[in-house]
Amino acid sequence: TGRCLRTLTGHTSDVDSVWLSTDGRLALSGGYEKILRLWEIAPRTQDICTLQTFPSDSDSTLTGDDTAFIYMLERSEEALQAGRFTEALTFARQARALPGGDRTPHSIDAWARLSLVCVRVGLQSIRPIHILEGHSAPIRSVSVNTDGSQAVSGGWDTTVRVWDLTTGHCERILTGHEEWVLAVHVSGDGQWALSGSDDRTLRLWELATGKPIQTFTGHRLGVTSVNLSNDGLWALSGSLDKTVRLWETAAGRCLHIFEGHTGSVTCVGFSPDSRWAFSGSLDRTLRQWEVTSSHCIQTYEGHRRRVNALSLSIDGQWLLSGSSDRTLRLWEVKTGRCLQVYEGHTAPITTVLLSPDGRFAFSASPDKTIRVWELTSGRCLNVYETPAHPIFSIALSTNGRWLLSGGDDTMIRLYEIEWELEAREPADWDAGARTLLETFLTAHIPYSSELRTDRDLSAEKIRHALTRHGKPVWKERDVHTFLETLQYAGYGWLRPASVRARLDELARHLQELPFA
């Protein structure tokens, strides 16, 4: 039900507009009759009142609700393309406030596009999308590519599976491991997958063809965790044999063995610029290693039981860990200090993730829940109860939209995440983005030398091949990828031209930067 409060006259031409207040109580409409009408929308039990907002050029039988919804989304998209982000977000909110407006594919996609130019300030929902079936044994590890279109999983059935997440279909089954597959990781560009197995080997796969590219041998016991560097040149593995190994992906050679843990290594990860390696262990500690020398430069202590998982922020400033003591801990990499402890799980934490913008954390556990945490306050924002099976692994797409989980029931579950957004108007710069630019520049400083596959390796040659020297060098596609990274990190409202100028400026004064 609804009533017209006021009729406004005076226009000399057609009025083609509609407006809905953010609280959904008032609407303003105009049409061919050259007048505006202000409507009061009364509380409803089923449908909103039919308000004829503007006539359609087609023979469509759209209702007033449908017409208003389409109009608002169109205005939102126009404002988005014009860089008027606050206006775009306002129109999108109004469209989603209509009955069922937040559940249509067009609305969901529009909100996802806005999330790339707005700041995520909270969690709206986690919604199940697909159940992926095919594994015949528990799934130990899942990994997803940047845009959430493709995923890789590994399980106790000894197979690695590649999934099309848009359809939920298994694209190919990768075979070759002789024992349980305990870890998988997809490269940043989505071309490669790395897997680790209880058969003591790692395998590198080409995802487009499913072809095995390289087999890495050397661990004395099963491989529990794997990671690829962002440039794809190096691989990292952790093992039940208490060591971490650094590998050259092109030749499959082991370059360093990191020793120091007194228990099996459960998780490993590279820093975004590949300067550091991180590991967690049954010995209750995490360690930070210098890649060039294999020296342990920092030990993170505080967990009361084994460390099961770790995750690094995309600028390398923060380290998140999950433990069998049922807590997560957030660490400052620069100092090794524990900044926050997150409590709430009722069973050991098996997997953790940091969101791309560094504002939120995800964790999962055999207590059959996925929890979302606000990093700064330590608050648990959401407890998502999954079907009655323990979760061993979760993965989050870099754009922050898709969440994947795998566990004891042999099924993979795909979820879509919607964030609460806050608009920012386009700006030239924000100081918070500086560490991301510094990380980009560090990662594009060339290595001092290349490793020859036809020669024996000395410690000096390995050190030079892992040491960056000189000025950063990048290509246009690298900048394009970096601008996407800024969107995922919550800085999509920065003007690209200004970001490029900042990159050039920082590169010219590289010697003044703390990482030089």
Side-chain angles (χ1 to χ4, degrees), residues 239-267:
S239 170
L240 297 172
D241 64 14
K242 305 178 185 179
T243 69
V244 177
R245 287 180 179 246
L246 177 72
W247 309 83
E248 179 194 16
T249 55
R253 294 180 293 192
C254 180
L255 303 181
H256 281 316
I257 301 176
F258 305 95
E259 296 181 293
H261 280 297
T262 58
S264 298
V265 176
T266 54
C267 48

Side-chain angles (χ1 to χ4, degrees), residues 27 67 81 101 135 138 141 155 165 180 218 263 338 414 434 466:
T67 307
Q81 296 303 320
H135 280 286
S141 184
L165 295 185
W180 297 343
C338 179
L414 176 67
R434 182 182 174 93
L466 294 169

Side-chain angles (χ1 to χ4, degrees), residues 40 76 94 110 156 275 281 283 336 403 424 448 450 454 460:
E40 179 186 45
S76 176
Q94 291 172 359
W156 284 358
R275 295 176 69 206
S281 168
D283 65 13
L403 181 71
R424 298 280 193 276
S448 296
E450 294 183 3
D454 59 344
E460 187 68 12

Side-chain angles (χ1 to χ4, degrees), residues 133 167 201 275 429:
E133 299 182 79
T167 64
T201 70
R275 295 176 69 206
W429 185 239

Side-chain angles (χ1 to χ4, degrees), residues 88-98 111 124 420-423:
L89 187 61
T90 298
F91 272 117
R93 278 207 178 101
Q94 291 172 359
R96 290 164 66 87
L98 294 172
W111 199 254
Q124 282 194 356
E420 180 56 47
L421 304 178
E422 185 176 283

Side-chain angles (χ1 to χ4, degrees), residues 471-485:
K471 293 286 186 178
V473 178
W474 63 81
K475 298 179 181 178
E476 177 57 31
R477 66 172 180 269
D478 300 322
V479 178
H480 179 75
T481 300
F482 178 63
L483 292 173
E484 288 183 341
T485 299

